[in-house]
Amino acid sequence: MQIAIVETSRGGGAVPEFDPIRSNRSMSSRARTTPSPIRGPDLAAGAPRAVPVGDDGAMNPGSQESFPTDLDTRLLAAAIAIAGRARERGNHPFGALLTGPDGAVLLEAENTVVTGRDATGHAETNLVRAATAAYDAEFLRGCTVYTSCEPCVMCAGAIYWANIGRVVYALGEDQLLGLTGANRENPTMALTCRAVFAAGQRRIAVVGPVELAEAWAVHGGFWRGTTA
């Protein structure tokens, strides 16, 4: 079974450019098949925008953690590239990565539901398994998960139990449901990660959805009934 998790580094420093797999292959060389583009609502010139929401999932323009930083946007783009790699390998187009308290990329993971024959092989769950094996809970409290799509109920629970302190995502779960519909391969649940976290005993900061054109494009033509 192919393992789709890569540990990058524990070291500090900002991430000027992200190389998802630390190889000599460029991002473009991995894009052997180009998904049909899907345009999300109200996307202008690829500019990232976040919907202001509170920790309880309600619309709240004054809430903290509502808008992404430039680094957040770059790392989301990297997570989406990982999602594209998952698609190339025959899996669902989802990807995630973990950064340390200093913003350095530590781990990445992609969806392995199909090739791993594991219904729990979501990108975030694969990432959490690797993270909890490599780092202690105190360290993970200062870490951030970046994911191409909002964590589902299962993945949000895994993030909570791992003690990871922050989540940044591109597509929202409701937006994903609009793409997949009643697809039997991805019976998306209408429950936000904020609602899951709010039921816990510790706060997890959430930023998202962040509207990026590539977050929609990676799903282009993948789900039955999806139109370009």
Side-chain angles (χ1 to χ4, degrees):
M1 181 176 69
Q2 188 174 35
I3 302 299
I5 298 169
V6 176
E7 182 169 4
T8 56
S9 70
R10 292 175 183 259
V15 184
E17 293 185 4
F18 179 69
D19 180 357
I21 57 174
R22 300 287 187 182
S23 76
N24 292 326
R25 290 185 298 166
S26 67
M27 193 79 71
S28 60
S29 69
R30 292 197 301 277
R32 291 183 295 273
T33 58
T34 302
S36 302
I38 296 177
R39 182 176 175 82
D42 301 323
L43 292 177
R49 295 190 296 110
V51 177
V53 288
D55 289 330
D56 59 357
M59 300 300 292
N60 180 5
S63 65
Q64 295 182 352
E65 296 289 344
S66 293
F67 297 97
T69 66
D70 289 343
L71 180 60
D72 288 338
T73 302
R74 286 194 288 125
L75 291 170
L76 278 179
I80 295 164
I82 297 168
R85 191 172 78 217
R87 177 174 177 162
E88 291 175 4
R89 291 178 175 169
N91 290 297
H92 298 172
F94 301 102
L97 60 86
L98 181 78
T99 64
D102 56 2
V105 177
L106 304 176
L107 296 166
E108 65 173 50
E110 59 193 66
N111 181 286
T112 55
V113 166
V114 177
T115 57
R117 299 183 61 83
D118 178 4
T120 69
H122 291 195
E124 301 94 331
T125 306
N126 288 337
L127 187 71
V128 167
R129 289 190 183 109
T132 55
Y135 306 104
D136 61 35
E138 182 178 357
F139 177 80
L140 290 173
R141 187 64 184 157
C143 293
T144 299
V145 168
Y146 291 88
T147 178
S148 61
C149 189
E150 180 175 4
C152 72
V153 175
M154 175 184 71
C155 294
I159 290 166
Y160 172 82
W161 285 110
N163 201 41
I164 294 169
R166 185 170 180 259
V167 174
V168 183
Y169 65 88
L171 284 185
E173 192 78 341
D174 57 337
Q175 295 170 313
L176 176 64
L177 181 59
L179 291 177
T180 64
N183 192 298
R184 65 183 182 181
E185 291 188 10
N186 200 78
T188 304
M189 301 178 72
L191 186 65
T192 68
C193 68
R194 286 180 174 86
V196 176
F197 297 148
Q201 297 183 42
R202 52 181 176 262
R203 177 184 173 90
I204 297 177
V206 180
V207 178
V210 179
E211 292 184 0
L212 295 172
E214 55 265 45
W216 295 86
V218 75
H219 292 271
F222 185 85
W223 307 104
R224 284 180 294 179
T226 297
T227 57

